[in-house]
Amino acid sequence: METEPSKVEELKKKKETAQKIDPDLATNYEGHETLEPKESEEKPNPTLVSSLDMILKSLWKISVFTKELPSFTEDEYVSELRDFFLNDPTLAHPMETNAVSELLVTILELLPRWRNENGEKPLNSHFELLEETKKICNRCKMDTEYPVERSYGLTVAANSLREFKASQFFYLFLSAFEDFTFENILKVIRITLMMPCDKEGCGKRSYVDRMINKLPYVFTIALEWENNETEGEMLDTTSALATVIDISAVYKYEGDNLFTKYRLVSMVCFHGDEYNCVAYENKRWVRHFGSKKEVIGDWDSVLRSFVKLNMRPEILYFEN
């Protein structure tokens, strides 16, 4: 059956009107509105997607996530959270040097908006570190107590790990200790972070006491790299790392919990132009990259892989 001329003219006018409103909107002669294919939307920055996926995967290796999200599989959890975060304007920016630690903070801050049901404890609260800082000036003896600082862990310059190992000050400090440990290196780094006196006219820089009263469930350490380390520097830096750390050796702990040791469970590492997740699974270390994974083996094999693959660990998660 042919369409009447008046009906054809009416449909043409509807099509012209619709196209003025939205050029991508077309109306066919049968009166059915359809959307013509649009140009493909700009894809997310691939490095951002890689870092986001590996951060989410490394978080999943922490038992608190699997315990509190029992209805999810690992793939479902990574996929849903990736979509959630990529739709947030906060993450609509390219990745910059050492930005993965900043991305982790953004993710942890946004987690309660994704899931915080029935008044449950937010997932990011397991990472919170509440630090008290006190200082007595060596010159004027002024006693200063600073407001409690909330953070998601400790940030350390990667080169400081090898520099303090080689410094004379480090060995003088370690003479009071029996063991050469990762936490002792961190303690030296923390001690050397002096602060100026707040009294007007003084300004003397003095050491500070950094204390915590409550242990976080997860102790996070972010390493900031210079990106131009030699193979020898990579080895010197990563060989300082350890799989077990006592947080009471890094901070002055004033709580009553006797269990202050933490075990390394996963890491976010930069490799080439993408991020990897290295996690402890079934009593061996496994490297996840993209949708693939490979077994590395024991911790010594992990240290060799750092150097061999020029793979920099940037975020380390220790679980109590």
Side-chain angles (χ1 to χ4, degrees):
M1 181 182 296
E2 295 183 358
T3 307
E4 297 179 0
S6 59
K7 186 67 174 178
V8 171
E9 292 298 322
E10 181 181 349
L11 292 175
K12 286 183 178 179
K13 289 181 180 179
K14 287 178 65 179
K15 179 179 180 180
E16 292 173 357
T17 302
Q19 288 180 327
K20 289 179 182 179
I21 297 174
D22 185 348
D24 292 314
L25 186 64
T27 307
N28 60 25
Y29 285 97
E30 285 73 34
H32 300 295
E33 293 182 347
T34 60
L35 284 175
E36 294 180 350
K38 294 184 178 182
E39 294 184 5
S40 59
E41 297 181 358
E42 183 179 354
K43 294 182 179 180
N45 179 277
T47 307
L48 171 62
V49 175
S50 172
S51 61
L52 181 58
D53 278 2
M54 293 303 107
I55 288 176
L56 295 177
K57 189 173 286 291
S58 64
L59 290 174
W60 183 258
K61 306 305 178 182
I62 303 170
S63 63
V64 67
F65 270 77
T66 53
K67 288 179 180 177
E68 298 199 15
L69 301 174
S71 61
F72 285 85
T73 65
E74 181 176 343
D75 290 341
E76 290 171 345
Y77 148 82
V78 172
S79 177
E80 180 171 325
L81 267 173
R82 180 205 303 123
D83 293 342
F84 171 79
F85 289 124
L86 287 178
N87 287 327
D88 191 283
T90 309
L91 299 183
H93 59 78
M95 288 292 294
E96 299 176 355
T97 303
N98 291 324
V100 68
S101 59
E102 298 175 10
L103 177 59
L104 172 63
V105 172
T106 302
I107 290 173
L108 292 177
E109 290 288 348
L110 293 176
L111 269 177
R113 285 172 45 186
W114 172 69
R115 185 181 180 88
N116 189 17
E117 301 174 352
N118 303 321
E120 295 176 351
K121 193 174 183 180
L123 284 169
N124 61 359
S125 64
H126 299 291
F127 296 78
E128 287 183 342
L129 189 68
L130 303 178
E131 180 180 328
E132 297 180 18
T133 305
K134 297 180 181 180
K135 173 174 58 66
I136 299 178
C137 178
N138 293 331
R139 177 183 292 161
C140 69
K141 306 305 178 183
M142 179 178 176
D143 190 353
T144 307
E145 185 171 338
Y146 298 91
V148 174
E149 293 185 4
R150 171 182 171 270
S151 69
Y152 289 122
L154 185 62
T155 300
V156 179
N159 65 324
S160 64
L161 295 180
R162 60 178 180 271
E163 289 174 358
F164 275 97
K165 279 175 59 179
S167 70
Q168 183 178 6
F169 175 78
F170 177 77
Y171 284 103
L172 289 174
F173 180 86
L174 273 188
S175 62
F177 297 88
E178 295 181 358
D179 299 321
F180 181 87
T181 59
F182 180 38
E183 59 256 30
N184 283 339
I185 300 175
L186 294 176
K187 185 168 187 175
V188 174
I189 294 172
R190 300 287 285 170
I191 285 177
T192 57
L193 297 176
M194 305 171 72
M195 296 176 64
C197 181
D198 297 284
K199 185 177 180 180
E200 187 177 354
C202 181
K204 173 70 174 177
R205 299 184 67 85
S206 303
Y207 296 113
V208 298
D209 285 329
R210 303 176 187 276
M211 298 161 288
I212 56 173
N213 295 316
K214 182 181 178 182
L215 296 177
Y217 187 87
V218 182
F219 181 46
T220 306
I221 298 177
L223 297 180
E224 294 187 340
W225 294 79
E226 297 175 342
N227 300 323
N228 59 353
E229 288 82 4
T230 65
E231 185 175 299
E233 289 172 335
M234 283 283 295
L235 178 61
D236 289 341
T237 303
T238 55
S239 62
L241 304 178
T243 57
V244 177
I245 187 171
D246 190 340
I247 197 173
S248 65
V250 182
Y251 295 89
K252 182 183 289 186
Y253 176 56
E254 297 186 338
D256 55 4
N257 194 329
L258 299 178
F259 302 99
T260 58
K261 288 188 176 183
Y262 288 69
R263 183 175 295 277
L264 182 64
V265 292
S266 61
M267 296 175 280
V268 180
C269 306
F270 189 65
H271 175 232
D273 59 353
E274 64 179 12
Y275 282 85
N276 294 181
C277 166
V278 177
Y280 192 67
E281 305 172 15
N282 300 320
K283 298 183 179 181
R284 78 268 199 272
W285 290 94
V286 178
R287 180 169 76 102
H288 298 263
F289 50 105
S291 58
K292 303 177 182 179
K293 69 177 183 179
E294 67 174 9
V295 176
I296 298 178
D298 60 12
W299 179 244
D300 287 339
S301 299
V302 174
L303 295 179
R304 287 193 293 269
S305 294
F306 287 148
V307 178
K308 179 181 178 181
L309 300 175
N310 191 27
M311 184 168 60
R312 305 194 312 266
E314 297 195 5
I315 301 177
L316 293 80
Y317 301 97
F318 292 82
E319 188 171 22
N320 183 270

